[in-house]
Amino acid sequence: MRLVDLLDETRFSIFANKARSALTILGIVVGIAAVIVMVAIGQGTQQSITSSIQAAGSDLLQIMPGFGASSGAVRGARGGGSSLTMDDLAAIKKDVPNVKDAVGERQGRYQVVAGGNNTNTSVIGTQQGYPAIKNVNVAEGSFFTTQDDDSMARVCVLGATVRDDLFGENATGIVGQRVRVNGMEFRVIGVAAAKGGSGFGNADDQIYIPLSTAQRLLSGSTSLSSIDVQVDSAGNMSAVQQAVTQLLLDRHNISDATQADFMVLSQQDILSAVTTATGTLTVLLASIAGISLLVGGIGIMNMMLTAVTERTREIGLRKAIGARESDISSQFLAESVTLTFLGGVVGVLLGFAISWAIKHFASFNTAVSLGSVLLAFSVSAGIGIIFGYYPARRAAAMSPIEALRYQ
Amino acid sequence: MIEVRDVTKVYQGGAGAETAALKGVSLRIEDGEYVAIMGPSGSGKSTLMHILGCLDTPTAGSYLLDGVDVSTMSSDELADIRNARIGFVFQAFNLLPRATVFRNVMLPLVYSGISNGQREELAIQALEAADLHEDLWDHLSNELSGGQMQRVAIARALINDPTLVLADEPTGNLDTKTGEVILDTFARLNEGGRTIVLITHEPDVAKHAKRIVHIQDGEVLSDERRSEAGWSA
């Protein structure tokens, strides 16, 4: 049997049973579309988290203190220690090569009040260089200067979410207004542009005040809750990370690096942790969708088995007029592969459409990857072969005499 | 020329019981003969037809088709023999529904690998030989009457220019008048030199053939050649 004849017979059989072929394809369509959409959601989530981390600056090292004060065997919170000092910051700036800039942070959560509104938000005491390092843009007004820091000025820059909470959605004319932080009055000198992102760790749900103001007036401690180091180029990241670690170990008189009372994290470290987590999420979503694909495959087998029984006399006739066993089995196999392949094509298109709709109407980032499309195609063709094989063998093994006699 | 020599066929029943459907049948059919094989049901005539049609192989004995022993061939070799040398006409027509007359007639060519260009030409010759009106050639097979369907089946049997046309109760699903017309078609094909073997249990049908072989209990009961004048209706 020639290939063109095989394809022609396949086309004929599929079109002779349009309704049933379409319903069978539907199972595969749903399965493939589900896989594409689920993987797109997983990868879209990964992309948006990754890009929000990168928005904070990919050339950034963050140094955090180690565990808080210990009393006996009881450890304090990780990052809660007071081991990082202003002198550490100064030393990093002075002694570590390839450091473009470094700023200290003193962070705490306080109640912030303006007029009749209040919110509990993260108050970050920091320095003039912060906006450049953390990619913060000031949309209205200006960021505070080193003079403000030196003079312990009671000025603040509001994050976009805090602005919304205190003065109303996208309110303007905020500069010059007064807010009370932990009962102390501060003058608003700027509002940061929204960075996007939501929920835990929202970079817009923050207010910025000068570092010395935060240390002296709010927390009463001169230690730093973190140091942000900007490296001059991405290629020097690991060198600077090592140099900073060594410098701080020396300064803190620690000889065993595993006993360090601080941590040096690069954006890369955070990124790879997040990537691992969202990768797991993607696999989970894809396996759930894969189950529906499997059910679709069983549907194909069911339809092909029914077709073999229903077309027993046709099989008998084809054998009587000279079809070999391989002709019969390849015909049924070609039909199931064609059905699943068509289902794959429609499923991929549907998956694209749904992913697009989710992105545009539910504003939830999705990313259809070439990999998932190729996977979907090969899986659907594979399903056609695997679930079509048994019915095809059954058809081919029929005795022509029995098949012709079948009622 | 086809020849079966001392052919037996034994079926294995349940619990090891054996049933002999054919008990040593010998038969020789020359090219251009028109033979009716008659017998009641259970006589073994269907089994003989299956062996003559290369759908089954004998338990013992030999079957020579155009001088080639086909009794020990594999199922794929038999499929090729059926495709090239046997044309089947069945009681129930066995056409593909929802397929045109042309597609049905050309179906055997799908398995012989003849080029598309030649197929239509061969189909036209076969349809003309089977006497089906040209207006019906593009119709779907399920739009046709029983007599027309059987003509399509005859055309399909003729398309590979077979050594032997094997008709199994070809008038069984037709009314008497249509059946006569179909039998006339076989007679005309035989006059043109075609070898035809007709399997039937009806004496009225069998009398159209030039030679009648009676089968009973798996053996040839009688084998009579009728005079030339006898068969013409």
Side-chain angles (χ1 to χ4, degrees):
Chain A
M1 197 174 185
R2 299 183 311 168
L3 185 63
V4 277
D5 287 325
L6 181 63
L7 295 178
D8 187 53
E9 292 294 322
T10 303
R11 181 191 58 80
F12 174 76
S13 296
I14 287 174
F15 278 93
N17 265 312
K18 281 192 209 78
R20 191 163 49 181
S21 301
L23 283 174
T24 311
I25 287 176
L26 192 61
I28 297 295
V29 168
V30 170
I32 293 287
V35 169
I36 301 255
V37 171
M38 290 302 164
V39 172
I41 287 175
Q43 299 202 324
T45 309
Q46 186 161 345
Q47 267 187 11
S48 47
I49 295 177
T50 304
S51 64
S52 72
I53 289 172
Q54 278 166 345
S58 59
D59 50 0
L60 199 63
L61 286 178
Q62 197 164 30
I63 305 157
M64 316 238 281
F67 296 101
S70 304
S71 60
V74 183
R75 276 177 169 176
R78 190 175 274 270
S82 53
S83 54
L84 293 179
T85 64
M86 292 301 282
D87 292 340
D88 288 335
L89 173 61
I92 289 168
K93 277 168 107 166
K94 187 161 98 23
D95 297 337
V96 181
N98 300 319
V99 169
K100 198 167 163 194
D101 196 8
V103 292
E105 284 185 44
R106 180 76 220 178
Q107 192 254 8
R109 288 194 80 87
Y110 299 99
Q111 210 68 23
V112 180
V113 184
N117 296 324
N118 74 95
T119 181
N120 186 283
T121 190
S122 172
V123 178
I124 297 174
T126 187
Q127 298 168 308
Q128 190 181 5
Y130 185 88
I133 294 178
K134 287 289 195 84
N135 293 338
V136 174
N137 290 313
V138 180
E140 193 186 341
S142 59
F143 208 77
F144 42 78
T145 61
T146 305
Q147 280 90 345
D148 292 326
D149 195 11
D150 291 343
S151 63
M152 271 194 282
R154 290 203 236 168
V155 293
C156 66
V157 174
L158 303 184
T161 304
V162 178
R163 184 261 329 266
D164 292 348
D165 290 345
L166 296 180
F167 296 99
E169 201 84 6
N170 296 318
T172 52
I174 312 296
V175 172
Q177 301 263 20
R178 308 280 159 161
V179 297
R180 297 182 81 80
V181 179
N182 203 24
M184 271 170 282
E185 194 172 80
F186 280 73
R187 184 166 52 88
V188 178
I189 59 164
V191 177
K195 287 182 122 182
S198 60
F200 185 73
N202 181 355
D204 294 329
D205 189 11
Q206 294 175 337
I207 78 172
Y208 310 101
I209 63 174
L211 180 58
S212 58
T213 316
Q215 287 171 328
R216 305 270 155 65
L217 298 182
L218 289 179
S219 71
S221 160
T222 56
S223 70
L224 296 171
S225 52
S226 76
I227 297 173
D228 302 319
V229 178
Q230 188 178 26
V231 181
D232 61 357
S233 79
N236 291 325
M237 286 292 284
S238 55
V240 173
Q241 191 170 4
Q242 275 179 2
V244 167
T245 306
Q246 195 52 52
L247 177 84
L248 291 179
L249 286 173
D250 291 346
R251 288 183 55 80
H252 296 185
N253 294 319
I254 299 165
S255 52
D256 180 2
T258 59
Q259 298 296 316
D261 57 357
F262 61 90
M263 296 169 281
V264 182
L265 294 175
S266 69
Q267 289 292 333
Q268 210 49 52
D269 298 335
I270 300 168
L271 208 56
S272 63
V274 168
T275 308
T276 309
T278 53
T280 311
L281 175 81
T282 306
V283 169
L284 182 74
L285 289 173
S287 3
I288 293 169
I291 290 170
S292 75
L293 193 56
L294 182 71
V295 173
I298 294 170
I300 290 274
M301 178 143 81
N302 184 29
M303 141 98 175
M304 292 311 294
L305 280 175
T306 313
V308 168
T309 310
E310 223 172 50
R311 286 158 63 187
T312 300
R313 284 166 68 89
E314 179 193 323
I315 295 165
L317 169 78
R318 285 178 185 273
K319 288 196 152 192
I321 61 173
R324 292 174 162 217
E325 284 190 14
S326 59
D327 293 332
I328 300 291
S329 62
S330 44
Q331 187 189 334
F332 278 89
L333 208 52
E335 279 180 36
S336 67
V337 171
T338 307
L339 285 176
T340 52
F341 192 75
L342 282 176
V345 172
V346 178
V348 165
L349 294 176
L350 186 67
F352 262 108
I354 294 174
S355 304
W356 183 88
I358 290 175
K359 193 169 184 170
H360 283 80
F361 299 117
S363 48
F364 195 93
N365 190 34
T366 58
V368 179
S369 67
L370 182 67
S372 69
V373 171
L374 291 178
L375 184 76
F377 268 122
S378 43
V379 165
S380 66
I383 280 176
I385 293 171
I386 291 165
F387 291 101
Y389 182 77
Y390 173 64
R393 285 308 309 160
R394 275 248 300 232
M398 278 183 185
S399 137
I401 298 166
E402 299 295 326
L404 280 168
R405 218 182 265 156
Y406 186 84
Q407 294 298 324
Chain B
M1 199 260 306
I2 66 175
E3 184 173 13
V4 292
R5 285 184 199 150
D6 205 22
V7 158
T8 62
K9 182 70 189 179
V10 178
Y11 291 109
Q12 300 289 332
E18 292 186 345
T19 322
L22 292 178
K23 303 167 184 167
V25 170
S26 294
L27 194 63
R28 185 185 162 103
I29 298 170
E30 300 293 337
D31 286 344
E33 276 200 272
Y34 185 0
V35 184
I37 296 176
M38 276 199 74
S41 62
S43 61
K45 72 177 190 309
S46 291
T47 306
L48 181 59
M49 183 206 81
H50 292 148
I51 289 171
L52 290 179
C54 297
L55 290 166
D56 207 351
T57 50
T59 309
S62 64
Y63 174 24
L64 297 173
L65 182 65
D66 287 338
V68 180
D69 189 357
V70 300
S71 55
T72 54
M73 282 187 169
S74 71
S75 62
D76 278 351
E77 286 171 321
L78 287 176
D80 292 347
I81 293 280
R82 290 196 295 272
N83 183 255
R85 299 180 190 247
I86 317 273
F88 287 96
V89 178
F90 302 101
Q91 178 175 353
F93 323 131
N94 285 20
L95 301 180
L96 294 186
R98 277 165 277 173
T100 62
V101 166
F102 260 122
R103 192 180 182 93
N104 269 291
V105 172
M106 291 190 286
L107 195 60
L109 303 181
V110 164
Y111 301 108
S112 32
I114 284 172
S115 73
N116 291 31
Q118 281 177 282
R119 289 186 192 181
E120 193 144 328
E121 200 181 310
L122 289 170
I124 290 168
Q125 284 173 14
L127 283 163
E128 281 170 349
D131 218 6
L132 186 76
H133 197 279
E134 197 174 338
D135 294 347
L136 298 170
W137 293 358
D138 284 319
H139 282 237
L140 297 182
S141 66
N142 43 342
E143 296 168 354
L144 304 180
S145 71
Q148 290 164 341
M149 286 195 195
Q150 200 57 298
R151 285 181 189 287
V152 177
I154 292 170
R156 182 180 64 195
L158 294 175
I159 196 159
N160 265 341
D161 190 20
T163 305
L164 169 66
V165 173
L166 204 53
D168 182 16
E169 303 278 8
T171 59
N173 279 17
L174 302 172
D175 60 73
T176 318
K177 203 171 143 238
T178 316
E180 287 292 328
V181 179
I182 292 294
L183 290 168
D184 284 348
T185 307
F186 281 120
R188 204 168 36 70
L189 288 170
N190 174 244
E191 269 182 283
R194 206 44 87 185
T195 312
I196 292 167
V197 172
L198 190 68
I199 320 297
T200 185
H201 66 278
E202 288 181 73
D204 282 351
V205 172
K207 73 168 196 257
H208 286 79
K210 293 183 199 167
R211 177 181 168 194
I212 300 180
V213 177
H214 278 271
I215 303 275
Q216 197 150 8
D217 296 329
E219 288 170 325
V220 176
L221 197 68
S222 69
D223 184 351
E224 53 178 306
R225 278 165 211 277
R226 296 159 58 86
S227 63
E228 281 296 309
W231 62 269
S232 185

